[in-house]
Amino acid sequence: MRWLVGWSSTAARVAEVGSAGTTGHDGETVHPVGSQLLWGDPDPLWAVGDWRPDEVRVVKADPATRIAVLGLCGATDEQLRVGLFAARGGALRHLTAWPGSYTAVVQVGRRVTVCGDLAGARPVFHTPWAGGTAYATAALPLADLIEANLDFGHLAALLAAPDVPAALHDSTPYAGVQRIPPGHALILRAGAREIAGYEPVASLAVAAPAADPDSAVDGVRDALVDAVRTRLSAPRHVPDIDPGPVPGMGPAERRAARGMPVPGIGADLSGGPASGTLALLAAGLPGRPGTVLGHGTGAGERLLAVTFNDLAVAGREAELERAGALAANPRLHHVVVTGGEDVLPYAELDGPLTDEPGSVLVTAARHRARLMSGSADHFIGHGARQVLDAHPARLADLLMDRKRRHLVRPVAALAKADGSVLVPARVYAAARRLARTPYRAGLESLAERLLHQRFDEPGGAVGASLAALAWASPGPAARWLTGEALAEVSVRLRETLHRSGAGPGHRPGDHRARAALARHAADLRILEQAAEIRSQRLHAPFLDNQVVRACRTLPETLRVRPGARAEILRTVLQGAGVSDLPPGWGAPSHASSAAAARTGLRVAADPLLALFDTPLLAEAGLVEARVVRKALRGAAVGDPLPLDGLAEIVALELWLRRLLARRGTCWTGTPARARAVPSGITRTPRAVEPVRRLG
């Protein structure tokens, strides 16, 4: 895990601050464990973790004006210097417009600016500290710093309404630690903080200017090519030297057994359009896309392409065939990783502690099995669906812009999938209702549903689309929460309505799409930590700032077409010179991950039931143990239950146990008690205690 941390102190405390640190509880100087100091007092900044030398860059204009960029950034030092001068004048967007995935920190005198990204894959957190403000790109170090307890309201909202930004707001699992929203920057002036957006916001009253589909797709192609080229242009990395032979094992088997990736660059190749696009772009761009010369067969010539073949659950045969056809490219070296019941969801209930909880914790072993055969720099296609596809709520946006005829194709596709002639009327009525519903009314409706526990929704593709045609919807785990927890989330939503300027500033479809992207980016960040392979970096170019910006220029009329994502990526590849794609490329997969999840629940039923004998979630008042155990038994035998919701509950229970089992802290120079959640699960009186009877 890698993160940066720093703080800005008030002018009155500058004299009390030690050498690149702050006085702790016992008069000791506080600084992060295993850190690299980038600059010192009065506003110090550290890089913590296994950063590569080329991932940490500091450019100075003068002793009081400097910029630090952490991550993979395609800007030259001169471009960083120009961006620094622009930021000194207050222009922040320049700091986020370079290709790559990175975090930029600018110091101009006593003003410190930390820029988050557009997707939310590189978040920024902050908390009051020592009379000023501490900030970091991870929440747990700040929680350790202030000995934060758990924020049970946030955990309840994470289960009840994970896709609703108003329910989570700026909170984190740790009380007192807050996050800045995607597309914003944290600005500190001598300890005082301000959060400013750096991206223009479209008007709700005036329709956006019509975008040319061809030029928009060209922009997506250029952004993706730049993102891939930036990774290929970065220095190649070789993991730790292989300590020697093992009887009966070749070099690749030794690396996998010891958890070491292959030197150089590789990519996932699942057979889907997103990973296939990245693999073909990386293999087709000029240069040497493969491994480092002198390390492995075909080194310096071919890109390593990794495909996962699930032997425990059938249904992806067509995707595997397409992956094999794509791998026939002479610049690709294809590796198929097989997995049985040992890598099913829920097969591994132990693992590393992540910064925040997420449902991907139950599938981390599955991803780790694939990534162990990957490269030191590995492309993944995560985020393509969220930045390219149309959220169902975008149908309401089309109605608001008087583009009714563009609803014909998506509604016809839903009607064909459902086989009912009533589908068009139902979908059109739901889209029209959403287009006429104010944001405030949408949140009030969700608060009422949670308070009175109304979660029944129609099933199937049409049911999911109808449920998504709303400003906000309950999460799949909400039905298993206690009445008290649901009431608390309802109160949080109503409090949002009373804040000045409450409202998303976007149309309902755009708002829901941005929320879905932020949640997916957060899940990917958790996955990177849970399935982390030593010396490996995962690259998700679809979540880069410039790629997200380019995708947002795509007109809604293009997005809502069935198969739009595959067609856009096909055009991107054709523009990059790749036209020989296998038949069926981009076809939607009919094999759902639900089959693997249900099989995993059945295989791991006994350990899961034991996990919820005395769950911490019940101690926190969020669920009742018997209710969750009943749901787990039902899902294992095939009852039609929302499996995603069960995954979220199990993952949160696992995360709580790992958090409370840790004994270390992210800081040195502090007493042993200085760590997050020092007293375990401690319930506090709730403001909504009388409402408990409603459950």
Side-chain angles (χ1 to χ4, degrees):
M1 183 173 170
R2 293 163 298 281
W3 39 282
L4 64 87
V5 63
W7 52 64
S8 177
S9 303
T10 59
R13 287 191 57 89
V14 171
E16 303 178 26
V17 178
S19 176
T22 297
T23 304
H25 295 280
D26 294 341
E28 304 170 6
T29 301
V30 178
H31 59 274
V33 175
S35 60
Q36 169 189 353
L37 182 65
L38 301 184
W39 59 64
D41 291 330
D43 303 313
L45 175 67
W46 291 273
V48 186
D50 59 335
W51 293 97
R52 294 170 175 172
D54 58 288
E55 291 177 330
V56 180
R57 298 162 63 192
V58 178
V59 174
K60 297 181 180 180
D62 56 61
T65 307
R66 47 200 169 186
I67 179 173
V69 176
L70 289 91
L72 189 63
C73 179
T76 63
D77 287 352
E78 184 58 32
Q79 289 174 316
L80 292 181
R81 192 169 285 107
V82 172
L84 175 58
F85 292 144
R88 185 168 62 180
L92 301 182
R93 197 172 186 270
H94 294 72
L95 304 176
T96 67
W98 299 306
S101 179
Y102 57 89
T103 301
V105 183
V106 171
Q107 184 181 47
V108 180
R110 293 301 314 280
R111 187 183 72 193
V112 177
T113 303
V114 192
C115 294
D117 66 336
L118 289 175
R122 288 183 169 269
V124 178
F125 305 90
H126 62 92
T127 187
W129 164 251
T133 300
Y135 62 90
T137 53
L140 182 56
L142 298 183
D144 280 349
L145 189 65
I146 65 172
E147 300 182 16
N149 286 311
L150 290 169
D151 185 343
F152 295 106
H154 174 88
L155 297 179
L158 203 59
L159 294 175
D163 291 326
V164 184
L168 300 172
H169 192 43
D170 60 356
S171 62
T172 68
Y174 314 100
V177 179
Q178 298 172 299
R179 79 176 71 233
I180 68 170
H184 287 68
L186 175 67
I187 303 174
L188 305 175
R189 294 181 177 87
R193 64 181 177 272
E194 172 191 353
I195 297 174
Y198 55 76
E199 205 69 3
V201 178
S203 172
L204 280 169
V206 181
D212 177 47
D214 294 336
S215 61
V217 173
D218 289 344
V220 173
R221 180 201 63 215
D222 294 341
L224 268 178
V225 169
D226 285 346
V228 173
R229 184 179 286 119
T230 298
R231 270 83 174 179
L232 296 179
S233 302
R236 302 298 172 88
H237 292 272
V238 179
D240 297 339
I241 302 299
D242 192 340
V246 175
M249 284 189 180
E253 293 171 316
R254 288 202 305 270
R255 276 193 299 266
R258 291 166 173 161
M260 295 171 56
V262 177
I265 298 179
D268 278 351
L269 189 62
S270 66
S275 63
T277 297
L278 295 179
L280 292 174
L281 282 179
L285 289 178
R288 293 180 172 176
T291 53
V292 183
L293 284 170
H295 294 269
T297 304
E301 299 173 359
R302 296 189 289 175
L303 184 90
L304 179 67
V306 180
T307 300
F308 180 74
N309 182 13
D310 190 353
L311 301 180
V313 179
R316 295 194 178 273
E317 291 79 7
E319 283 196 2
L320 290 173
E321 290 180 7
R322 287 195 292 270
L326 290 172
N329 187 315
R331 302 198 76 184
L332 290 175
H333 173 57
H334 196 206
V335 173
V336 178
V337 179
T338 58
E341 291 187 353
D342 56 325
V343 293
L344 280 171
Y346 307 99
E348 182 180 305
L349 300 182
D350 192 15
L353 172 65
T354 56
D355 192 42
E356 297 182 272
S359 59
V360 295
L361 292 180
V362 303
T363 59
R366 194 174 182 83
H367 293 279
R368 194 181 304 114
R370 179 186 82 255
L371 296 174
M372 279 197 299
S373 296
S375 298
D377 289 278
H378 199 75
F379 286 101
I380 55 177
H382 286 256
R385 184 187 303 274
Q386 285 71 28
V387 298
L388 292 174
D389 283 11
H391 191 280
R394 286 191 184 273
L395 298 180
D397 295 359
L398 292 176
L399 287 181
M400 295 175 71
D401 293 339
R402 301 180 182 275
K403 297 178 180 177
R404 295 179 179 84
R405 63 186 180 91
H406 294 285
L407 273 68
V408 174
R409 294 177 66 174
V411 171
L414 284 173
K416 182 179 179 180
D418 187 76
S420 171
V421 296
L422 301 178
V423 168
R426 294 169 62 197
V427 173
Y428 181 82
R432 186 182 183 189
R433 183 167 55 251
L434 175 57
R436 297 182 174 185
T437 302
Y439 174 71
R440 178 180 294 269
L443 286 191
E444 288 177 345
S445 174
L446 176 60
E448 285 294 320
R449 290 187 63 183
L450 294 176
L451 188 62
H452 298 288
Q453 304 181 33
R454 296 197 301 265
F455 306 121
D456 294 333
E457 293 174 350
V462 175
S465 298
L466 291 174
L469 283 166
W471 276 106
S473 303
R479 67 189 64 230
W480 293 300
L481 296 188
T482 62
E484 177 187 341
L486 292 171
E488 185 160 347
V489 179
S490 177
V491 170
R492 288 172 68 101
L493 287 169
R494 295 183 187 279
E495 288 175 349
T496 299
L497 300 177
H498 297 298
R499 296 192 190 105
S500 59
H506 307 109
R507 296 169 183 270
D510 192 21
H511 172 68
R512 291 297 301 269
R514 289 171 187 257
L517 174 61
R519 189 187 180 200
H520 178 80
D523 284 344
L524 176 60
R525 176 172 172 264
I526 297 165
L527 173 62
E528 287 179 323
Q529 299 167 12
E532 185 175 21
I533 306 297
R534 183 181 177 186
S535 302
Q536 185 179 68
R537 297 290 187 271
L538 299 183
H539 300 282
F542 285 104
L543 298 180
D544 287 4
N545 281 347
Q546 288 300 80
V547 177
V548 172
R549 284 193 179 103
C551 292
R552 284 180 178 173
T553 64
L554 293 169
E556 291 173 342
T557 55
L558 175 63
R559 289 178 183 271
V560 298
R561 297 176 188 171
R565 173 165 40 109
E567 287 303 316
I568 291 170
L569 293 180
R570 184 187 295 272
T571 306
V572 166
L573 286 175
Q574 289 174 347
V578 180
S579 57
D580 188 17
L581 298 175
W585 185 86
S589 173
H590 297 288
S592 172
S593 58
R598 195 174 296 280
T599 304
L601 279 170
R602 186 177 67 251
V603 172
D606 291 340
L608 288 175
L609 291 174
L611 182 71
F612 282 90
D613 278 341
T614 54
L616 295 175
L617 287 175
E619 189 177 341
L622 299 182
V623 302
E624 292 185 13
R626 61 174 182 81
V627 173
V628 177
R629 288 197 299 269
K630 179 181 177 182
L632 289 172
R633 292 191 192 98
V637 298
D639 290 351
L641 297 173
L643 302 182
D644 291 346
L646 284 175
E648 291 172 5
I649 288 178
V650 172
L652 183 52
E653 176 68 22
L654 291 174
W655 182 81
L656 286 174
R657 290 174 180 260
R658 296 174 191 178
L659 178 66
L660 297 185
R662 74 189 282 255
R663 290 294 177 262
T665 176
C666 296
W667 299 87
T668 186
T670 58
R673 67 178 183 275
R675 62 183 179 90
V677 199
S679 55
I681 300 289
T682 54
R683 294 195 59 184
T684 56
R686 307 288 179 90
V688 294
E689 194 73 29
V691 190
R692 193 174 185 179
R693 293 189 298 273
L694 292 174

